[in-house]
């Protein structure tokens, strides 16, 4: 389990959930000895499972109270998806890489998460069918905030997304208040690229 010692993370519920979800199950057994260290690890297809601190920070930034409908872009290993599923009953997640989506479905089902739907596709355009979403979390970085994602946010909804250059970005929280959109910077970060129509070219 991830240690409850994640400096700077104040939300006790986030720390409690992270101490319970078995991160090792989302990586290859060869990496199990490293699964509870605070860094990202390879998950195949050139992608990585995010660093636990970043997972905690993103989850805390979503300010979840429990009833939110959440869209996640970049399922990857499914670890962040599991953390979100501990908070909310309705998780929609999109992954571009079919092999990762399949593995994430299998492990989430083995661990008993039944409130997650994963689609293979380009999440930079969101998932219009089930919109609007109270929260949208993007775990891959975009050159700009994808317009479709803001459009698919509900009123008073929050979008958390890394935005910037290909190798370095700023984690942003975007809040939709009626016609107004307010953006806040959380910290510098480095995520793999969001590849798609409203992300980076592949
Ligand atoms: N939260 C994941 C992070 C995975 S890395 C974890 O902790 O395991 C980001 C993921 O975004 C990668 O799996 C990558 O394949 C995926 N991705 C990149 N562009 C995408 C897009 N346009 N739509 C959906 N997923 C995308």
């Amino acid at each position: 389990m991830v240690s409850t010692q994640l400096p700077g993370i104040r939300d006790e519920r986030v720390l409690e959930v992270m101490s319970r979800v078995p991160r090792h199950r989302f990586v290859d057994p060869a990496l199990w000895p490293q699964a509870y260290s605070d860094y990202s690890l390879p998950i195949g297809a050139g992608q990585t499972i995010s660093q636990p601190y970043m997972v905690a920070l993103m989850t805390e930034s979503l300010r979840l109270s429990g009833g939110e409908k959440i869209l996640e872009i970049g399922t990857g290993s499914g670890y962040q998806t599991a953390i979100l599923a501990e908070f909310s009953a309705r998780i929609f997640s999109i992954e571009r890489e079919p092999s990762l989506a399949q593995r994430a479905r299998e492990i989430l089902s083995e661990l008993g998460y039944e409130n997650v739907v994963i689609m293979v596709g380009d999440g930079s355009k969101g998932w219009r069918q089930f919109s609007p979403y109270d929260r949208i979390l993007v775990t891959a970085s975009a050159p700009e905030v994808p317009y479709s994602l803001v459009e698919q946010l509900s009123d008073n909804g929050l979008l958390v997304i890394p935005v910037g250059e290909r190798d370095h970005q700023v984690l942003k929280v975007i809040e939709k208040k009626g016609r107004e959109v307010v953006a806040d910077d959380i910290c510098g970060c480095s995520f793999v690229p969001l590849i798609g129509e409203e992300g980076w070219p592949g």
Side-chain angles (χ1 to χ4, degrees):
M1 316 297 130
V2 168
S3 152
T4 49
Q5 304 296 311
L6 288 166
I9 303 300
R10 283 183 290 266
D11 190 332
E12 292 291 336
R13 299 167 313 154
V14 172
L15 295 172
E16 188 276 319
V17 163
M18 296 215 24
S19 71
R20 222 161 6 91
V21 176
R23 188 172 185 251
H24 71 277
R25 298 293 305 276
F26 295 85
V27 297
D28 191 272
L31 297 172
W32 284 6
Q34 299 165 62
Y36 295 100
S37 303
D38 193 19
Y39 42 77
S40 57
L41 293 168
I43 54 172
Q47 307 301 326
T48 55
I49 180 171
S50 305
Q51 178 195 1
Y53 171 73
M54 200 43 85
V55 172
L57 185 62
M58 292 190 293
T59 309
E60 185 176 70
S61 304
L62 287 171
R63 293 182 238 149
L64 298 168
S65 60
E68 293 88 358
K69 185 179 9 165
I70 306 178
L71 175 65
E72 178 194 39
I73 320 281
T75 320
S77 66
Y79 175 65
Q80 171 80 68
T81 323
I83 303 284
L84 296 176
E86 291 279 344
F87 280 91
S88 169
R90 292 170 297 167
I91 313 292
F92 298 87
S93 188
I94 310 178
E95 170 54 52
R96 179 174 177 266
E97 188 61 54
S99 61
L100 293 179
Q102 190 46 35
R103 209 164 62 199
R105 278 190 194 114
E106 283 165 15
I107 186 65
L108 288 167
S109 154
E110 265 174 48
L111 293 175
Y113 294 101
E114 288 171 356
N115 51 341
V116 176
V117 187
I118 299 176
M119 170 176 89
V120 173
D122 175 10
S124 72
K125 298 183 290 183
W127 193 346
R128 200 164 295 278
Q129 188 186 354
F130 299 105
S131 68
Y133 302 95
D134 305 306
R135 301 288 187 268
I136 300 180
L137 173 62
V138 187
T139 67
S141 67
E144 280 166 43
V145 178
Y147 177 71
S148 295
L149 299 187
V150 177
E151 212 183 22
Q152 290 172 34
L153 261 188
S154 59
D155 197 17
N156 295 314
L158 292 181
L159 162 65
V160 173
I161 180 170
V163 178
E165 306 300 318
R166 195 108 184 180
D167 60 348
H168 189 80
Q169 310 93 29
V170 173
L171 188 66
K172 289 183 177 284
V173 181
I174 286 142
E175 191 166 3
K176 187 169 174 180
K177 290 179 176 165
R179 286 187 171 188
E180 227 184 298
V181 173
V182 182
D184 245 339
D185 292 354
I186 307 179
C187 63
C189 56
S190 182
F191 280 80
V192 298
L194 179 76
I195 294 170
E197 216 170 284
E198 296 188 44
W200 294 98

